[in-house]
Structure formats: C-alpha cells, structure tokens
C-alpha cells in the first residue's frame, strides 16, 4: 500500500513537471492548434474530400503521441542531471519508479489530448461524444505504450547525451508518416507494397486515429475487437519501454552511472 | 581572417564530427518528400500546380532554412546561458570579427544541412536555368540570415528568462510556418478563413517561399509579386543582422542569461 502511495506521488510530480514546462506547452499547443485551425482548413480547400473532418480527429491522436513522447525527455533529463540518483534513494522500488513514469506519461498525454478534443468539439460536430469515454482507457494504454517507446530511447541514448533528440525525431517521423494520421488507407494502398500497408494498418497511431474518427466523430457503434487491437498494438511498446528503463535504472544503481 | 575561420571551425566541428544532425535533416527531408509529399500530392488538386509534391518539396526546404536559421539564433542564447559566450567575448579578436564568425558559421551550417535537399529538389523539378538555381539558393541564404537575426533580436527576452524565450521563439516558429505560403498558395489561405491571408503577409516565410517557388518555375499567378519578396528578404536580413551587430557590440557584454 505504501509503495502504491509513493508511486502515485512520484507520478504526480512528473505529471506536474510536464505541464509546468512553459516552452513545451507553447510548442505543443501552437503546433497542434495551428494544425487543426490552419493546415486542416486550408488543405480542405484543395482536396476532393472533407480533409478537415478527416484530419482534426487525427490531431488529437498526434497530441497523445507528442505528449507521451515527452516522457523520454524527462527521463533523459533525470539521468543527465542526476535527479535519478535522488529517485533511487527514495523508499520505492526500481519497478515502482518505472511504473510511476509510465503512469505519468500516459496521464499527461491523456489530459493534454483531452484539451485538444474539447477544442475539436467546438469546431467539428461529433456524432457520439460519449463513445470517447469508452475509448479513453484504450487511449491511456496507447499513451503508456508511446511513453514506453520514449523511455526506451532515453535509456538507449543515456550514454550518448543529446542523441536522444535525434532518436526521438527518427521515431516520430517514422511512426507519423507511416500511419493513416495524414492520409486515408486507400491512398497508401496505391503507393506502398502490401506488407508496408499492413504495417501502417497495425501502427497504433493509425488504429487510434481511425477509432477517433469512426466512433467519436462519425458516431459508428464501438467494436470491441477494434479496441482490443489498440491494446495489443500498444502492449509490446509498454513492455519493451518498461524493461529498457528498468535495465537502465539497475545499471545506474550498481555502477552509479550508465 | 585566420582568427575568424578558427572560431568558425571551433563551433562547426561539433556538427560535423559525427554528422548526426546533418544526417537527421537529410533523413527528415527524404521521408517528408518521398512519403508524406508523394501521398499528400495524390489528394491535392490544384490546376495551376499539377505536381504538388514539387511545390511541397520547395516549401519544405524553405521550412528547413527557417529551422536552421532559428536554431542559429537560439544557439547564441544557449551560448550565453552555458557560459560559452563570455569565453568567446574574451578571445583576442574584435567584436566585428566575432560577429562575422557567428554569421559565417550559420552560413556554413545552412549550406551543409541544405546541400542534399536542395540538389534533390532541383533534380525533382528539372529543366532549370543556372540563374534560377543560383537565385533560389541566394533567396534561401537571405531568408536564413534574416531568421537567425530575428531570433537573435528576440534574445533580449532570454536575458530576463531563457524559458520564456524558448516558449516565445518555438511557439512563434510553428505559427509563422503554418500562417505562410510554404505549404499552400496564399489564395487558399484566404479561402480557408478571411484574414488568414493578411496574417500570412506578415510572415517572412511567405516572401521566402513565394520567391523560391517563383524562381523555380511555379505559376506566378499563385504567388506574391517577386519584387516585393526580394525587398522584404533584403530588408529583413539587413535590419536583423544590423540588430545582431548592435546586440553583440553593446548588450551582451557581461550579461548573464537567467
């Protein structure tokens, strides 16, 4: 019970740090809001289908993605600046620290993306807002998976300092461009070979964007199998991230550094 | 001149050994042009722009120029924050030589980052005259210097709060890019929402992008008057670099970034 309280306290600390980073909030909000209110609107003028309706739900998923990915930056900073040594001295297990970071990453991404959803609901009518409540736990799990990817990058980069940002950018570009966040699957099918199209379909970002479009904004009935897909696509990332971060913490614990 | 080159090399060698950031820029460009650009151009239908991928590629190089230019400006603030600037100021070279070395380093960095992407867009578009290629490259350099100067001009904020400086410059960057004609001609910004085109006319990127598009053979009916573009870019580069000289000569002596 005490361990759980400490985990929640540590998670709360990391969660509040995310929202207190002014420059980060400025970047995320200006990027996501300008994507919604400028890029989506302008592209809708030059496309044969309603791109605004297509892209706005995807921006919410992009919000989940970028906010969850920031978990890695916070882990990287904690390792670089030695805060991690302080965490390791707390009466909390290393597994507890890992869980706290993943929880905080998932929660920060959810709170941030829900603020984007509220803005999206003002500019784009949603057929079944209540479906979002069903989606929430699955999006939270996805956010934890994305935080796991980020934690892996932070652990991998800890010996090479600022390379973390290079790794992060590569992962960000790969996951976003090879997804259906920006374009429909039919467009991808005409350009990519079959195996790559399957990979794009299985990308958790594609699944989340599709769920947001279909269930929240178009009002289609929620399919449990589809939600299970989101869960299964996110799970490996969460596990790999947790194991990588745990290994990094154990190394610091025994050697004093990475 | 040898002193200037030595200071340039002192700063530049971190970018070259190893060339992680240069490679990352080239990778980002390739993904954006050959995947995102290729797919989105299948959806965009503009009669005056039969191949949107080419339009997007030029716009993306303009965005990269902006990115590298603003990075150079931000780096100056980081140098003050991390104590490198006082070291540079203590070197036995004049302030004008120091400023020249900072500007030259920015120019070399821009050339390194953009050489491959620029060659690719010339190859993609094809059938260009030597004049148009040289003029387009010069446009990018002027834009890069102008943006670096703009970020340098804002650096007085950093001497009050570096966090606030980062928030303003990074937030401003996203908005300047979205509210510009980098990704779409100005006529579609006006159609998306009244007033968007007026905001776009305030962005230096609009003039850089339209001038580069004009020089690389895109339909002039979709672009702003190239003579205005030349005037704006020249004015921006001269005025902001002038401000940079002033800042380096007067304001930064003994200053500490908070």
């Amino acid at each position: 019970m005490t361990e759980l309280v400490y985990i929640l306290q540590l998670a709360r600390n990391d969660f509040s740090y995310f929202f207190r980073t002014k420059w980060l909030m400025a970047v995320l909000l200006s990027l996501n809001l300008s994507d919604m209110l400028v890029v989506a609107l302008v592209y809708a003028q030059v496309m044969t289908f309603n791109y605004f309706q297509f892209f706005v739900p995807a921006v919410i998923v992009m919000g989940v993605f970028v906010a969850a990915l920031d978990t890695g930056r916070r882990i990287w900073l904690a390792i670089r600046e030695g805060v991690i040594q302080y965490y390791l001295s707390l009466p909390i297990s290393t597994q507890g620290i890992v869980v706290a970071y993943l929880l905080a990453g998932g929660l920060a991404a959810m709170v941030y993306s829900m603020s984007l959803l509220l803005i999206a609901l003002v500019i784009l009518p949603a057929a079944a807002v209540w479906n979002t409540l069903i989606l929430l736990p699955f999006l939270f799990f996805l956010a934890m998976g994305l935080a796991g990817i980020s934690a892996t990058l932070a652990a991998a980069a800890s010996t090479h300092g600022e390379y973390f940002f290079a790794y992060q950018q590569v992962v960000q570009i790969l996951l976003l461009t090879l997804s259906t966040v920006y374009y429909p699957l039919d467009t991808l099918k005409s350009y990519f070979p079959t195996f790559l199209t399957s990979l794009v379909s299985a990308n958790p970002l594609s699944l989340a964007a599709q769920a947001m479009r279909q269930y929240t904004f178009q009002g289609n009935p929620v399919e449990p199998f589809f939600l299970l897909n989101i869960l299964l696509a996110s799970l490996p990332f969460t596990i790999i991230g947790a194991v990588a971060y745990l290994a990094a913490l154990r190394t610091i614990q025994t050697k004093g550094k990475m | 001149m040898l002193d200037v080159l030595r200071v340039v090399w002192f700063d530049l060698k971190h970018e070259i050994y190893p060339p992680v950031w240069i490679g990352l820029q080239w990778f980002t460009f390739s993904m954006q042009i050959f995947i995102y650009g290729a797919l989105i151009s299948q959806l965009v239908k503009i009669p005056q722009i039969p191949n949107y991928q080419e339009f997007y590629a030029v716009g993306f190089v303009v965005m990269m120029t902006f990115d590298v230019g603003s990075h150079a400006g931000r780096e100056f603030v980081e140098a003050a924050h991390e104590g490198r600037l006082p070291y540079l100021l203590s070197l036995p070279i004049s302030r004008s030589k120091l400023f020249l070395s900072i500007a030259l380093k920015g120019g070399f960095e821009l050339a390194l980052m953009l050489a491959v992407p620029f060659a690719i867009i010339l190859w993609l578009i094809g059938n260009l005259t030597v004049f148009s290629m040289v003029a387009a490259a010069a446009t990018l350099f002027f834009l890069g210097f102008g943006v670096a100067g703009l970020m340098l001009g804002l650096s007085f904020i950093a001497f009050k709060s570096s966090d606030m400086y980062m928030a303003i410059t990074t937030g401003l960057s996203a908005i300047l890019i979205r509210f510009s004609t980098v990704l779409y001609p100005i006529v579609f910004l006006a159609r998306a929402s009244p007033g968007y085109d007026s905001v776009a006319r305030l962005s230096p990127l609009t003039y850089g992008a339209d001038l580069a598009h004009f020089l690389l053979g895109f339909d002039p009916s979709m672009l702003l008057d190239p003579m205005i573009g030349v005037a704006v870019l020249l004015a921006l580069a001269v005025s902001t670099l002038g401000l940079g000289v002033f800042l380096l000569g007067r304001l930064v002596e003994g200053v500490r970034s908070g």
Side-chain angles (χ1 to χ4, degrees), chain B residues 24-168:
Chain B
L24 188 65
Q25 289 282 342
W26 295 355
F27 168 77
T28 307
F29 175 82
S30 309
M31 289 293 290
Q32 287 293 330
I33 303 312
F34 296 112
I35 296 183
Y36 176 85
L39 288 166
I40 213 85
S41 73
Q42 293 185 31
L43 301 169
V44 172
K45 305 282 176 236
I46 305 173
Q48 294 90 337
I49 304 169
N51 188 346
Y52 180 75
Q53 189 187 16
E54 291 172 2
F55 187 91
Y56 179 76
V58 176
F60 196 78
V61 168
V62 173
M63 265 198 272
M64 286 173 79
T65 307
F66 178 80
D67 214 30
V68 177
S70 59
H71 171 74
R74 280 201 290 263
E75 208 175 35
F76 175 77
V77 171
E78 270 172 32
H81 187 59
E82 291 169 1
R84 203 153 44 91
L85 186 62
Y87 165 71
L88 290 174
L89 290 171
S90 72
L91 292 174
I93 57 168
S94 66
R95 294 288 174 268
S96 55
K97 277 185 179 173
L98 182 59
F99 184 76
L100 181 64
S101 69
I102 293 173
L104 272 178
K105 187 250 171 181
F108 279 125
E109 197 179 348
L110 194 65
L112 280 170
M113 301 273 190
L114 294 188
V116 168
F118 191 66
I120 290 174
I121 61 165
L122 295 181
W123 167 76
L124 259 181
I125 297 169
N127 207 19
L128 293 165
T129 62
V130 175
F131 171 76
S132 62
M133 289 190 267
V134 172
T139 301
L140 295 178
F141 269 94
F142 270 98
L143 180 67
F145 279 128
V147 171
L150 188 70
M151 295 299 168
L152 213 62
L154 288 172
S155 65
F156 71 92
I157 303 168
F159 299 134
K160 300 280 179 206
S161 159
S162 59
D163 206 26
M164 190 57 76
Y165 171 78
M166 285 294 282
I168 290 175

Side-chain angles (χ1 to χ4, degrees), chain A residues 90-135:
Chain A
L90 293 174
I92 178 173
S93 64
T94 42
Q95 293 93 321
I97 297 174
V98 172
V99 172
Y101 263 96
L102 291 182
L103 274 179
L107 198 63
M110 290 312 297
V111 172
Y112 175 72
S113 62
M114 285 309 111
S115 66
L116 289 180
L117 175 68
L118 289 178
I119 296 165
L121 290 174
V122 175
I123 55 172
L124 187 68
V129 182
W130 301 114
N131 277 349
T132 314
L133 293 179
I134 305 171
L135 281 180

